[in-house]
Amino acid sequence: MSAPGFRMAAPVRLVAVAAFAVAATLIILLLAGAPPLDAVSVILDGGVGSRIRALQSLGVWTPLMLCSAGLLLTFAAGLWNIGIEGQVVMGAIAATCLLRFFGEGAGTFPLVLGLLAGMAGGALWAWLSGALRVYGRVHEIFSGLGLNFVAIGLTLWLILGPWRQPGAASLSGTEPLPDDFWLPMPGGFPLWQTVLAAAAVIAVRIILTKSRWGLVVKASGQNASAAALWGLRPGLRALQAMAACGALAGLAGALQVTGLYHRLLPSISSGYGYTALLAVMMAGFKLGPVIPICFFFAILNVGSIQLPLGLRLDSSLAGVIQGVLALSVFVVAGLELRLRRRKGGA
Amino acid sequence: MDITLREIRKNYGAVQALRGVDASLRPGRVYGLLGENGAGKSTLMRVLCGRTRPDGGDILINGASAGALNPARALAVGVGMLQQDPLDFPAMKVWENFSLGGRGGGRAKAAENLANLSGSFHFSFDPDMRLADLTVGERQQLSLLRLLDAGVRVLILDEPTTGISLEQKEALFAAMRRLSKDENRTVIFVTHNLEEAVDMCDDILVMSHGRVTGEFTPPYSKEELLTRMFGEDAARPVKSSPAAAGRRDGRETLALSGAVFEGEGFDLADIDLCVRPGEIIGLAGLEGNGQEPLLRGLAGRARMKAGRLLLDGIDLSGKPPERFRFSGSHLLPAARLERGLFPDMSVREHFQLAFPELKGAGGTAFMEASCRRFRLPVRLSEPAVNLSGGNQQRLQLALIPENVKLLLLEHPTRGLDLESCRQIWEHLEERCRQGAAILFSSADLEEILDHCHRVLVFFQRRLFADVNASGLSAGALGALMSGQKGEGL
């Protein structure tokens, strides 16, 4: 049963991916009418060119990393948690909701509660998606997609309705939170975000490699039928993995509110849930490569803000490049599979 | 039309499914095709209807070679097969199914053809019903009409009486007689049921080990037929003395009363069963007649719709699988990799999952010792998917906890060589001496007769007989599997 045949060595694969990605990116930049080298240098300069910009990129890395860490758990459980985007949003809503109960001068304690509320909100949203799968036989991709729309709709309704700014309802968001509930950023350094993201990375690593729960989740994801027979309760594991992922996504959302925007915005999640999905798939569902890939995506996101200023290009070009990179990985993986089949003679 | 099969051969890997079959089939007759599991009946019929390409031999139709057949060509020359499980489109309507496989046409035309045909056989159909709402018997009737509409002259029926009602069976037999006698078609009736074959057929062909070993015409001798099906020594009891039937004291390991288990497309109903510690019980019968729902049900993996299940005195009726596992029930599925193991996880991870207490160096030492004991290669980081079939089974055995009370095995030695089989049975019998009860299914009568204290025979999707294995011969067991209950049992 051992599959002999073709397997690319890691460096070969890396070079293949890089070559493909560079070629595809070049074509897109040329089509967009941008001098490729200039575009790359603008993005890099915008992402890490100065201390402030590097810290901004780090600030984007943290929610990406929190979401990716969570997704590693749901992928281990064999689940496609597309709903992560909505879970980020629900985390932001839950945190905002809790903090609105406290007024000025309540100290920093509510801030902690707000982060916990964010985790609970995200976990609840993810649990819903999981429960629909386990009890209702609705695939989590469909329920996740649906719940994403619901979460975004809920944000808009809150911003334009019950939580609108006094005077005029505006898509620019709710009223800013009191200063007490702003996450401290000493010297612009996203200290707490980074600490929490790093903690999530370490926790997920320990869970997946050392803990019995992680082992059971992996087994349930690999073969639910055998897992049921072994008494491992695969349905329960799916719900737990979803809730854990949702909690991390919700925390990311709560950090967006308390650390960055200090209010609820219509696009509070900035699409980081989807970006994290891309990052995790690109990393082959492994924790190690996810970390730098999230950094890279963060730099692209922050750096592309300079594109309209420097080159009169739309900043959405970053998203296109991101997508092309991920596609390159998939194309190379697909090529590898074909070559392996051919050489394996299957 | 006359059909002659000449030297038909078919190999699957090293297995010779057909070793040169010769037969000739004339119109106007009902032919019975009898044989035990794996005799080659189904393969031969699939060759005839073009679904399987033979490795050698020739099919002559009215004396001329038919060349290479595929299902469409076979249908065009007039050979059609009614599958054991209807091959149709459950989500579509009756007339759509009828039209798709037959001569086609829109709703009006198809409905008219269907009404004409079904009237002449005393069947009745609502053309707008969805197929999923029909019974298996009705779907079979529809498939039959569809083949007739397509102009079939040679009709093959593969185990057609499984899962249909008595009235439907009688209607089917009436149709078979009419098609052969009045319409001069050839009907081939593939069956496991000796009684039905004797009643229905003008000719009986018996297959064994990939050959036609006998052709009979009425009056039939059932003994003669059974001997041809199960071999010359079918009458000889395999076991001279029953093995010690374990500890007869103590409470029952398993008590089932009025149990109904959900199978795939049918329910296995009214199971009353009592199993004692140390007993080995074999489940015999044509595959798909209820062995799987029983074994899976006893592990909590098939839904129990009614009845009571006590495992070692604990009521587990309707409980989830983990309760069964923790109460000492343990199932080893036949699909080892698909249902029993985690393909990409290592041998070590399997041990860790099965025995949570294994940790550190002591755990590793235990795993390595266990691998050696079960003759597994000592490579703990090897993923299960890389193990051979035999080693996958050995891994499953190594992962059975010490205190197991009820050990359930689907085809425990399927696909394994003789030495592996011997080792596996040595281990299983050791488990029984320690007080575990074993239930296992097998298509191999020898295996059942060699190891069992008791045999449960499944026939037509119910528990047909529960007999003591001592003094039981292959012939008697074969008779039971063919639906014969009677003298000497």
Side-chain angles (χ1 to χ4, degrees), chain B residues 233-445:
Chain B
D233 52 353
R236 181 176 59 85
V238 171
K239 217 171 343 193
S240 46
S241 66
R247 302 197 315 252
R248 285 285 186 176
D249 59 321
R251 58 185 164 192
E252 293 145 352
T253 299
L254 175 74
L256 267 183
S257 52
V260 179
F261 293 112
E262 187 175 76
E264 273 178 37
F266 68 101
D267 288 337
L268 178 69
D270 300 325
I271 305 294
D272 294 290
L273 186 64
C274 172
V275 180
R276 294 180 185 285
E279 260 191 311
I280 302 184
I281 300 180
L283 275 50
L286 189 65
E287 206 153 312
N289 272 298
Q291 299 93 317
E292 187 176 319
L294 177 62
L295 289 177
R296 288 173 63 76
L298 293 179
R301 286 291 285 146
R303 202 157 74 84
M304 187 168 166
K305 288 181 157 177
R308 213 161 116 87
L309 189 164
L310 297 181
L311 182 62
D312 208 26
I314 303 164
D315 190 348
L316 290 178
S317 323
K319 293 284 190 293
E322 60 270 15
R323 287 289 307 278
F324 281 78
R325 177 112 172 170
F326 299 141
S327 304
S329 162
H330 199 100
L331 170 69
L332 266 56
R336 292 155 199 156
L337 213 49
E338 291 76 22
R339 285 186 161 168
L341 299 171
F342 305 99
D344 292 338
M345 295 180 84
S346 67
V347 171
R348 175 191 297 278
E349 286 174 313
H350 279 85
F351 271 105
Q352 288 170 338
L353 281 169
F355 306 107
E357 67 280 5
L358 288 185
K359 292 217 170 65
T364 303
F366 172 89
M367 294 176 201
E368 286 173 355
S370 205
C371 284
R372 276 187 216 101
R373 182 168 158 232
F374 285 92
R375 297 179 173 84
L376 270 165
V378 187
R379 288 197 304 267
L380 295 180
S381 56
E382 196 78 30
V385 66
N386 286 356
L387 300 177
S388 68
N391 283 340
Q392 285 167 12
Q393 186 68 329
R394 287 190 194 94
L395 177 59
Q396 287 209 90
L397 288 170
L399 297 172
I400 300 172
E402 277 304 311
N403 57 359
V404 66
K405 293 183 183 115
L406 181 64
L407 196 46
L408 309 159
L409 305 109
E410 291 175 356
H411 303 281
T413 58
R414 180 186 273 176
L416 303 188
D417 59 74
L418 276 176
E419 180 56 20
S420 301
C421 296
R422 198 188 57 72
Q423 288 166 13
I424 282 169
W425 272 108
E426 208 167 81
H427 177 75
L428 291 176
E429 282 171 353
E430 172 63 28
R431 290 279 186 172
C432 281
R433 279 191 289 278
Q434 292 163 4
I438 292 186
L439 265 78
F440 75 99
S441 63
S442 177
D444 180 355
L445 294 192

Side-chain angles (χ1 to χ4, degrees), chain B residues 72-259:
Chain B
R73 262 187 52 76
L75 205 58
V77 299
V79 180
M81 176 155 163
L82 196 61
Q83 309 289 334
Q84 183 173 2
D85 291 304
L87 267 184
D88 48 22
F89 305 96
M92 296 170 76
K93 289 176 181 166
V94 165
W95 76 264
E96 291 170 324
N97 270 280
F98 181 74
S99 169
L100 274 173
R103 282 180 299 169
R107 187 194 171 282
K109 190 162 165 285
E112 192 193 320
N113 285 343
L114 176 61
N116 289 341
L117 261 176
S118 48
S120 66
F121 286 96
H122 307 290
F123 299 159
S124 92
F125 287 101
D126 171 358
D128 293 315
M129 243 166 102
R130 272 176 6 116
L131 221 61
D133 297 327
L134 266 49
T135 64
V136 174
E138 288 170 325
R139 281 163 67 177
Q140 186 188 60
Q141 290 173 353
L142 185 66
S143 300
L144 177 67
L145 296 184
R146 205 182 60 208
L147 289 174
L148 295 179
D149 188 48
V152 159
R153 300 299 305 168
V154 177
L155 184 67
I156 306 167
L157 303 136
D158 189 9
E159 301 283 354
T161 56
T162 308
I164 68 175
S165 72
L166 196 62
E167 296 82 59
Q168 287 168 339
K169 190 166 103 176
E170 276 159 9
L172 177 72
F173 284 176
M176 284 163 67
R177 283 196 192 94
R178 203 187 115 179
L179 291 171
S180 58
K181 301 294 162 307
D182 304 348
E183 299 183 8
N184 205 32
R185 303 189 208 226
T186 313
V187 175
I188 306 174
F189 178 34
V190 182
T191 183
H192 219 65
N193 190 319
L194 196 56
E195 201 73 46
E196 289 174 5
V198 167
D199 280 356
M200 275 304 300
C201 300
D202 305 307
D203 250 297
I204 291 182
L205 304 175
V206 175
M207 285 191 76
S208 173
H209 298 105
R211 284 199 179 89
V212 172
T213 51
E215 181 164 0
F216 300 86
T217 46
Y220 300 111
S221 145
K222 286 183 189 169
E223 289 69 35
E224 177 77 23
L225 287 169
L226 283 170
T227 308
R228 285 300 168 92
M229 281 165 73
F230 295 100
E232 289 300 332
D233 52 353
R236 181 176 59 85
V238 171
K239 217 171 343 193
S240 46
S241 66
R247 302 197 315 252
R248 285 285 186 176
D249 59 321
R251 58 185 164 192
E252 293 145 352
T253 299
L254 175 74
L256 267 183
S257 52

Side-chain angles (χ1 to χ4, degrees), chain A residues 30 48 61 65 92 94 101-102 104 117 121 125 136 142 146 148 151 154 173 175 179 219 231 244 250-251 270 305 312:
Chain A
L30 289 172
V48 287
W61 174 77
M65 199 59 236
F101 284 111
F102 297 91
E104 209 116 8
W125 218 236
F142 302 131
N148 286 351
L154 188 61
E175 222 184 335
D179 294 2
L251 179 61
S270 307
I305 297 167
R312 304 221 182 119

